[in-house]
């Protein structure tokens, strides 16, 4: 310990002011002093807090692109096969409520920052799914409804904190329920279609990490239970993704059969014609 401290302290005590200020803003003055200045690796509380902050920042960074592969798959394929609009609608609604709840409670941004980033990406995906499903006019209604809901949720003069707490409890249910249509869609399709594996596995890792950061930084059971439930259903989705990894969807199988049918018919028509019954006399 003494050797480690002697090697590290000359560096940590002479960090540039911007880096020091950033470190203090992340872990606080007390833990910054304990971990970086005093190099006290036996301070388990500060170590867990620093890990929680690191995970939170990592989740926010990853969430900025977590749904980009899903967006690209939809745009490139011009198809929404295997992607449940109802799932995204429920999840987007839950995220909007959760974002308002966290902001108005003044919780640390590192514990909910990804909610805002994923919310924006979810809206884009929902619009694309509607567009490729032939319901482009519904997309405009969706955007208007989301804008109106945001104004009501963030407006303190419209919705008080008690009512918002009830909505947050419902958002936890919505967040869990949002996974069910997607799970059923994959089961019915017999494949994952245009669903992004990157998004599914990142969601699984993110929800597990959020359980840890919530336990460390946020004393709110509503949010904790939501993350635990979300992790369990994300695990189901991840299992389906692995099981159906190379399996073509039912639609793809149908198209393949449709292509094979004319070929088989042609092969039959060009085959050797059968001889008719002979009229030769016997005897």
């Amino acid at each position: 310990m003494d050797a480690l401290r002697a090697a590290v302290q000359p560096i940590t005590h002479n960090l540039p002011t911007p880096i020091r200020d950033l470190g203090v803003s992340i872990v606080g003055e007390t833990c910054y002093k304990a971990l970086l200045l005093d190099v006290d690796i036996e301070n388990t509380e500060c170590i867990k807090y620093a890990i929680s902050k690191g995970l939170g920042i990592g989740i926010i960074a990853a969430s900025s692109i977590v749904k980009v592969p899903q967006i690209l798959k939809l745009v490139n394929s011009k198809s929404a096969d295997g992607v449940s609009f109802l799932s995204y609608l429920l999840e987007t609604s839950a995220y909007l409520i959760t974002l308002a709840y966290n902001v108005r409670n003044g919780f640390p941004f590192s514990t909910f920052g990804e909610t805002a980033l994923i919310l924006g990406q979810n809206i884009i995906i929902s619009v694309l799914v509607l567009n490729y499903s032939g319901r482009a006019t519904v997309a405009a209604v969706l955007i208007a409804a989301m804008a109106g809901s945001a104004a009501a949720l963030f407006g303190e003069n419209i919705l008080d904190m008690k009512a918002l707490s009830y909505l947050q409890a419902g958002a936890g249910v919505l967040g869990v329920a949002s996974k069910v249509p997607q799970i059923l869609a994959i089961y019915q399709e017999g494949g994952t279609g245009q669903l992004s594996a990157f998004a599914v596995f990142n969601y699984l890792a993110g929800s597990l990490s959020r359980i840890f950061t919530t336990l460390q930084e946020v004393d709110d059971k509503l949010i904790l239970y939501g993350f635990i439930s979300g992790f369990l259903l994300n695990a189901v989705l991840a299992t389906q993704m692995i099981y159906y990894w190379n399996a073509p969807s039912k639609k793809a199988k149908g198209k393949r059969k449709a292509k094979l049918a004319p070929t088989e018919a042609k092969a039959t028509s060009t085959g050797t014609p059968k001889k008719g019954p002979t009229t030769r006399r016997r005897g």
Side-chain angles (χ1 to χ4, degrees):
M1 271 297 300
D2 291 337
L4 176 64
R5 192 174 290 112
V8 173
Q9 282 183 330
I11 300 172
T12 58
H13 279 262
N14 293 286
L15 290 173
T17 301
I19 295 178
R20 180 192 180 283
D21 292 343
L22 178 62
V24 171
S25 67
I26 293 174
V27 298
E29 189 75 48
T30 302
C31 285
Y32 181 88
K33 181 179 181 300
L35 297 177
L36 292 177
L37 299 183
D38 299 338
V39 194
D40 182 10
I41 62 174
E42 295 180 358
N43 191 327
T44 55
E45 288 302 315
C46 280
I47 289 174
K48 287 192 292 185
Y49 185 69
I51 292 172
S52 176
K53 284 294 185 182
L55 283 173
I57 293 170
I59 293 169
I60 293 170
S63 67
S64 64
I65 60 166
V66 68
K67 295 296 183 78
V68 172
Q70 181 66 79
I71 294 170
L72 293 176
K73 285 194 76 171
L74 290 169
V75 172
N76 292 334
S77 66
K78 300 291 189 295
S79 168
D81 289 349
V83 182
S84 169
F85 169 70
L86 178 59
S87 177
Y88 273 96
L89 178 63
L90 293 174
E91 184 179 69
T92 302
S93 301
Y95 270 48
L96 183 58
I97 295 169
T98 299
L99 180 62
Y101 182 79
N102 279 276
V103 169
R104 289 179 59 178
N105 271 297
F107 292 143
F109 184 74
S110 61
T111 64
F112 71 89
E114 79 280 0
T115 304
L117 297 171
I118 296 176
L119 175 63
Q121 293 170 76
N122 273 359
I123 292 174
I124 294 173
I125 291 171
S126 299
V127 170
L128 288 173
V129 170
L130 287 171
N131 185 52
Y132 294 137
S133 302
R135 295 175 286 174
T137 52
V138 181
V141 177
L142 173 68
I143 294 173
M146 287 294 169
S149 300
L153 290 167
F154 284 92
E156 296 181 8
N157 56 337
I158 300 176
L159 197 69
D160 61 22
M161 280 305 301
K162 185 176 181 180
L164 187 57
S165 297
Y166 289 136
L167 285 177
Q168 176 58 34
V173 177
L174 278 180
V176 173
S178 70
K179 306 298 179 185
V180 176
Q182 185 62 72
I183 291 170
L184 292 176
I186 292 173
Y187 177 75
Q188 291 168 355
E189 285 281 329
T192 55
Q194 301 306 316
L195 190 64
S196 168
F198 180 82
V200 170
F201 289 112
N202 270 274
Y203 255 51
L204 180 65
S207 56
L208 179 59
S209 300
R210 272 293 170 232
I211 293 173
F212 178 78
T213 60
T214 302
L215 286 169
Q216 293 301 313
E217 301 182 57
V218 178
D219 186 19
D220 194 310
K221 300 301 182 185
L222 287 176
I223 294 178
L224 177 62
Y225 294 152
F227 282 128
I228 292 173
S229 302
F231 170 75
L232 294 175
L233 288 180
N234 281 330
V236 175
L237 276 174
T239 303
Q240 284 184 311
M241 183 62 70
I242 295 170
Y243 182 77
Y244 292 113
W245 189 262
N246 291 315
S249 66
K250 290 180 180 178
K251 286 187 177 181
K253 290 177 182 176
K255 289 179 181 178
R256 187 180 297 172
K257 287 181 179 179
K259 287 181 180 179
L260 289 174
T263 306
E264 291 173 355
K266 187 177 178 181
T268 303
S269 64
T270 56
T272 305
K274 293 181 179 179
K275 292 183 179 180
T278 180
T279 58
R280 187 179 59 181
R281 289 184 181 180
R282 296 182 181 178

